[in-house]
Amino acid sequence: MTNVRVRFAPSPTGDLHIGGVRTALFNWLFAKNKNGKFILRIEDTDEARSTRTYVKVILDAMKWLKLDWDEGPGNDGNLKYSPYYQMERKEKGIYQKYADELIAKKFAYYCYCTPEEVDTMRKKAHVNRIPPKYDGRCRYLTLEQIEQKKKEGKIPVIRFKMPNTGTIILNDIIRGDVKFDNFLLDDFVIIKANGIPTYNFACVVDDYLMEITHVLRGDDHISNAPKQMHIYNALNWKMPEFAHLAMILGSDGSRLSKRHGHMSVLEYRKEGYLQEALINYLALLGWSTENSQQVFTIEEMKRKFAIERCGTSPSIFDPMKLLWLNGEKIRSKDPEEIYELFVDWINYTGNVKLIENWDTELLKKAIFLERDKIRLLKDILSLVDFFFNKDVDYKEEAVQTVLTAEKLKDIAKIVLTESSIRLSKHYDFSAISLEKYARDLAVEKNIKTSQVFHPIRVAISGRKQGPSLFHMMEVMGKKEVIRRINITIDKFFI
């Protein structure tokens, strides 16, 4: 195989969405697997909707996902292929040069029809039950007619002259041969009246000049393939290989939208998903290994990825599976790593003040205790915040069912009062020793162990549920445990 060069070419007209990320990922994995180059190109020819703000959103998302590009914005040292913004390329006259060449070869022509006239043509064709396309009237203008149009001040578009007969066949890596009837294809615009190239023309010119060897993209682009292939043929350019990836659908089988979950990739970052979990999950949408492996490291994905193993059936986006996978990824890490990821998330979301007074070492220990319950990085806040509250935040249900319930109140008072006294003299404050103390107290008072465990838990955390009680006590420390028990006694039993 020749030196592989693939590209991801988003339009900066909105956030980078899940479908786009999957396309970027598969191109990136393909390049890594083949020791090729991954190019990022910004297709910003939609002047009305393209903004630098959205360019930044795209770049930020790609950087967070660690889908590093070999060439592109911020990495355009290769002058042979730069610039990587289409509007910058337009200003250099790149697209007009090849449009003029197509006109000279009689593969394109000036069209002076107004948008209203073209719309009327399409509506008429629809009524007559024929393909609703431009009828090609300007392709037959004489030089005299063209000169007259110019004198009248009419500004033309440039249309590609599509063959009226025959077929063109796309040899797709994933789908095999796909046949298109030329009669159904339009004489489409390649240069608009304002001189800006259209998508189907600009991407062909750029892919050729950037020496792209493989075009991996969503199957919503299949309809663009014959138009682009005709341009390649007209300019006598070697065509890249094409692979069209199956769509991603929502759980109800409809096109993925906001009602199925977050569309913007950076929303997942704000929620506390790990980059590697999102990458892992998106890799499963349309690609599989022979043994149907589900959990991958990044290096495994690079090594095992094969575009030939991508399917033709749409994939279903399952938010719950992504959430499960994110939890798996978090639990596979040690507390130090989880802590670093949590701090990064805190900084990204601007919630630094929430933890600015938290003791770092205590936070790491608390994370270790609750690691198995963490599914999202944001979960850490609510799981461990009680360790750092000066005042116990008593949950109403916990108080009513454990401390103040009619049949349990007296028992809870005894347990906490005895614990305040005895634990202050308890030398070994390890989890093992504390558990023995609690069980011995239950035997001594002839009560259930739960009648000892629960009051202590609620007294020091304010909650009925949480990490292992005795490990929690050990991490919290003797002084703090006793302080909280005394606060609880004063609040509910005096």
Side-chain angles (χ1 to χ4, degrees), residues 390-404:
K390 182 177 180 180
D391 299 318
V392 181
D393 179 17
Y394 300 98
K395 304 303 179 185
E396 185 176 350
E397 182 191 7
V399 171
Q400 291 180 350
T401 58
V402 176
L403 299 184
T404 61

Side-chain angles (χ1 to χ4, degrees), residues 222-369:
I222 285 182
S223 61
N224 293 319
K227 298 176 183 179
Q228 295 167 9
M229 293 168 70
H230 277 297
I231 293 174
Y232 277 108
N233 291 335
L235 291 168
N236 197 29
W237 287 347
K238 182 180 178 181
M239 220 174 291
E241 293 188 57
F242 289 92
H244 288 87
L245 308 167
M247 299 242 340
I248 302 175
L249 303 178
S251 55
D252 57 1
S254 63
R255 189 164 185 153
L256 195 63
S257 66
K258 287 185 178 180
R259 69 178 181 275
H260 300 116
H262 299 300
M263 288 290 288
S264 169
V265 62
L266 291 178
E267 286 298 318
Y268 286 93
R269 185 178 185 185
K270 289 178 183 176
E271 284 291 296
Y273 285 88
L274 303 190
Q275 161 266 347
E276 61 194 271
L278 188 56
I279 289 294
N280 189 157
Y281 181 65
L282 290 179
L284 302 175
L285 298 181
W287 170 70
S288 64
T289 58
E290 291 183 3
N291 63 350
S292 299
Q293 184 176 344
Q294 296 292 298
V295 181
F296 296 85
T297 65
I298 298 297
E299 290 305 315
E300 282 179 317
M301 281 189 280
K302 288 186 203 175
R303 188 173 67 253
K304 296 184 178 184
F305 184 79
I307 196 66
E308 293 81 6
R309 289 202 58 81
C310 290
T312 57
S313 299
S315 301
I316 302 298
F317 185 83
D318 182 355
M320 294 310 297
K321 185 171 182 180
L322 172 58
L323 186 61
W324 164 81
L325 184 58
N326 200 66
E328 290 291 305
K329 292 288 186 179
I330 289 175
R331 286 187 287 275
S332 70
K333 300 182 180 301
D334 62 44
E336 184 71 32
E337 289 178 291
I338 300 174
Y339 167 78
E340 294 295 339
L341 288 166
F342 175 62
V343 170
D344 177 72
W345 175 81
I346 281 286
N347 289 327
Y348 177 73
T349 56
N351 289 318
V352 177
K353 286 189 176 181
L354 294 177
I355 68 166
E356 61 184 352
N357 296 319
W358 289 14
D359 179 86
T360 298
E361 293 307 313
L362 176 58
L363 176 55
K364 291 177 183 178
K365 292 176 181 177
I367 287 173
F368 177 77
L369 291 182

Side-chain angles (χ1 to χ4, degrees), residues 120-171:
T120 299
M121 292 176 207
R122 296 186 190 282
K123 288 178 179 177
K124 183 177 178 180
H126 181 74
V127 170
N128 294 329
R129 296 184 178 181
I130 59 176
K133 61 181 186 176
Y134 176 69
D135 63 13
R137 64 183 63 175
C138 283
R139 72 193 294 181
Y140 305 109
L141 291 177
T142 63
L143 290 176
E144 291 77 11
Q145 289 173 316
I146 291 175
E147 286 302 316
Q148 182 59 38
K149 299 284 187 184
K150 289 181 180 179
K151 289 179 182 179
E152 294 172 1
K154 293 186 175 180
I155 302 175
V157 300
I158 300 177
R159 288 185 181 272
F160 184 82
K161 189 183 293 183
M162 193 66 68
N164 290 324
T165 59
T167 59
I168 190 166
I169 298 175
L170 166 68
N171 181 242

Side-chain angles (χ1 to χ4, degrees), residues 386 391-405 408 412 415-416 450-467 469 472-473 476 481 484-489 491-493:
F386 69 87
D391 299 318
V392 181
D393 179 17
Y394 300 98
K395 304 303 179 185
E396 185 176 350
E397 182 191 7
V399 171
Q400 291 180 350
T401 58
V402 176
L403 299 184
T404 61
L408 298 176
V415 167
L416 295 180
S450 61
Q451 291 174 315
V452 176
F453 295 177
H454 291 337
I456 295 176
R457 176 183 293 281
V458 175
I460 66 176
S461 71
R463 310 173 180 188
K464 288 178 64 176
Q465 298 177 331
L469 172 60
M472 177 172 67
M473 294 172 70
M476 196 172 284
V481 166
R484 294 185 179 210
I485 288 176
N486 288 335
I487 288 174
T488 305
I489 293 170
K491 184 176 181 65
F492 295 102
F493 302 111

